Amino acid sequence: MSAMTTTATAQPALLSIGNIYLLIGFVVLFLVIKTLQDKEHPKRLTTALFWGLFGSVFLLGDLSVTYLGESLTYRWVGVCVIAIALLAGMGKVSMGSYDVPSDEAQTVSARRIGNKLFIPAVLIPVVTVVCTILLKDIQLGSLYVFDQSHVTLAALTLACTIALLVSWKFTGGSPLQALGESRRLVDSIGWAAILPQMLAMLGGVFIVANTGTAIQDLVTLFVSPDNRFMLVVIYCVGMALFTMVMGNAFAAFPVMTAGIAVPFLIQGHGASPAPLVAIGMYSGYCGTLMTPMAANFNIVPAALLNLKDKYQVIKVQIPTALSLLFINILLMYGVIFND
């Protein structure tokens, strides 16, 4: 999530990971300033502090500050994460006041733009894929355009920029208006907007804590290492259940893969790694469909759509999730082993 977790790229690039993190940090800083200027905001200071702490991780994460031989940067990021969790848990993050066009103005704009409204959204995945596959090696002199260690992320940044320019053309808006709308949308989602990044970071913490080794020892107590089918079931179901607890498959993936997939299925039974981990991650996504912990996927849409039952999205998705999980188990058991 933060720039502090990355290493310097081997080749200089225009869209380097460091520059991307700085861009994100400055955008968040703009949101903080607009929040502080919102005198009608009921929780102006604590909401600004929440987003300020989050943005500081991107702005300051690459700074190498040490004291008595120990890095203070990591400690600062740790303090930020704890403070962010406390602010969110105590309900100190809320929406403010925004300059929203009237219903009549929005209706007129929608009729004028029509289906062209979908073009910027479609451009993002299309440009990202094209740049990642076909244009990843382009250079301006001795400078690469895309960070060679993070090509997809750099391509996504360019794609979002192009989509934003196209949106301005269609709507006749301005950069400040776009940033203002981003504040409204981010505030409407609230703390759940950064939940995936936090949980992905937590997955890395679990790896450092050797949680995967503990899971490996636990599995050997109940299942024979020779029982391939049960190992597949435990991996897929474990990915789904752990994702339901954590709210994000990215947090579950490193733990379950290090604890079950690598030692038992890849090393023990010769499974092909690429399809194995792909299906494993897909199994985790099945858990995402069934948990309120994935708030930005399941709870936020219900709130934005004004559904009476905030768990309605989850209830509708459960049959699909269980069916996909069953198919994933059969697919993993049937096609990824070399024997």
Side-chain angles (χ1 to χ4, degrees):
M1 183 191 78
S2 67
M4 58 158 256
T5 60
T6 64
T7 57
T9 56
Q11 303 91 1
L14 181 63
L15 291 174
S16 67
I17 190 67
N19 291 338
I20 294 171
Y21 282 136
L22 287 176
L23 175 62
I24 296 173
F26 283 123
V27 170
V28 176
L29 182 61
F30 174 86
L31 304 183
V32 172
I33 294 173
K34 296 297 291 184
T35 299
L36 290 174
Q37 293 175 341
D38 185 0
K39 302 302 182 181
E40 299 179 11
H41 199 300
K43 299 176 181 178
R44 175 167 56 98
L45 296 180
T46 52
T47 300
L49 178 60
F50 177 89
W51 293 112
L53 291 171
F54 179 67
S56 71
V57 175
F58 291 95
L59 291 172
L60 307 177
D62 265 340
L63 293 181
S64 179
V65 181
T66 59
Y67 179 72
L68 298 179
E70 293 190 12
S71 173
L72 297 182
T73 306
Y74 292 96
R75 296 183 183 275
W76 165 250
V77 173
V79 169
C80 287
V81 171
I82 294 174
I84 286 172
L86 290 174
L87 288 170
M90 293 187 296
K92 299 299 182 180
V93 182
S94 68
M95 296 187 66
S97 59
Y98 314 93
D99 295 326
V100 181
S102 64
D103 292 341
E104 294 78 8
Q106 293 184 48
T107 300
V108 171
S109 179
R111 290 174 178 172
R112 177 174 59 85
I113 299 173
N115 290 332
K116 290 190 296 184
L117 183 67
F118 295 100
I119 293 179
V122 175
L123 278 175
I124 295 177
V126 170
V127 173
T128 301
V129 171
V130 170
C131 291
T132 301
I133 297 177
L134 302 179
L135 305 177
K136 61 180 180 179
D137 296 322
I138 61 174
Q139 295 178 256
L140 298 176
S142 60
L143 190 68
Y144 280 96
V145 173
F146 302 108
D147 190 321
Q148 295 300 288
S149 299
H150 305 86
V151 175
T152 302
L153 183 57
L156 177 61
T157 302
L158 178 62
C160 291
T161 303
I162 292 175
L164 189 58
L165 293 174
V166 174
S167 299
W168 292 344
K169 177 66 176 178
F170 288 160
T171 62
S174 67
L176 289 179
Q177 183 180 2
L179 290 173
E181 276 298 293
S182 69
R183 172 181 168 247
R184 183 182 66 83
L185 291 174
V186 167
D187 282 353
S188 67
I189 299 174
W191 59 265
I194 67 172
L195 190 59
Q197 294 92 332
M198 290 293 182
L199 292 175
M201 180 186 290
L202 184 59
V205 173
F206 284 155
I207 289 296
V208 175
N210 294 321
T211 308
T213 302
I215 291 178
Q216 179 180 346
D217 295 338
L218 185 64
V219 170
T220 57
L221 293 177
F222 300 98
V223 179
S224 170
D226 296 328
N227 192 334
R228 178 185 297 178
F229 179 74
M230 285 305 303
L231 291 173
V232 168
V233 171
I234 291 175
Y235 179 48
C236 291
V237 174
M239 275 293 301
L241 292 177
F242 202 74
T243 298
M244 292 177 68
V245 173
M246 299 304 301
N248 193 294
F250 291 103
F253 177 76
V255 176
M256 300 303 297
T257 300
I260 300 176
V262 172
F264 295 115
L265 297 175
I266 296 177
Q267 297 177 350
H269 290 271
S272 180
L276 174 74
V277 297
I279 298 174
M281 181 64 85
Y282 196 18
S283 300
Y285 293 154
C286 295
T288 302
L289 297 175
M290 299 186 289
T291 176
M293 287 298 293
N296 53 329
F297 292 106
N298 299 329
I299 303 301
V300 171
L304 295 178
L305 294 173
N306 294 319
L307 299 181
K308 294 182 179 180
D309 185 357
K310 65 179 181 179
Y311 300 116
Q312 183 63 34
V313 173
I314 297 175
K315 293 175 181 177
V316 171
Q317 293 174 163
I318 286 178
T320 300
L322 293 177
S323 300
L324 287 175
L325 183 59
F326 177 73
I327 293 172
N328 284 339
I329 293 173
L330 297 181
L331 189 62
M332 181 178 292
Y333 181 73
V335 302
I336 67 172
F337 295 98
N338 297 323
D339 53 6

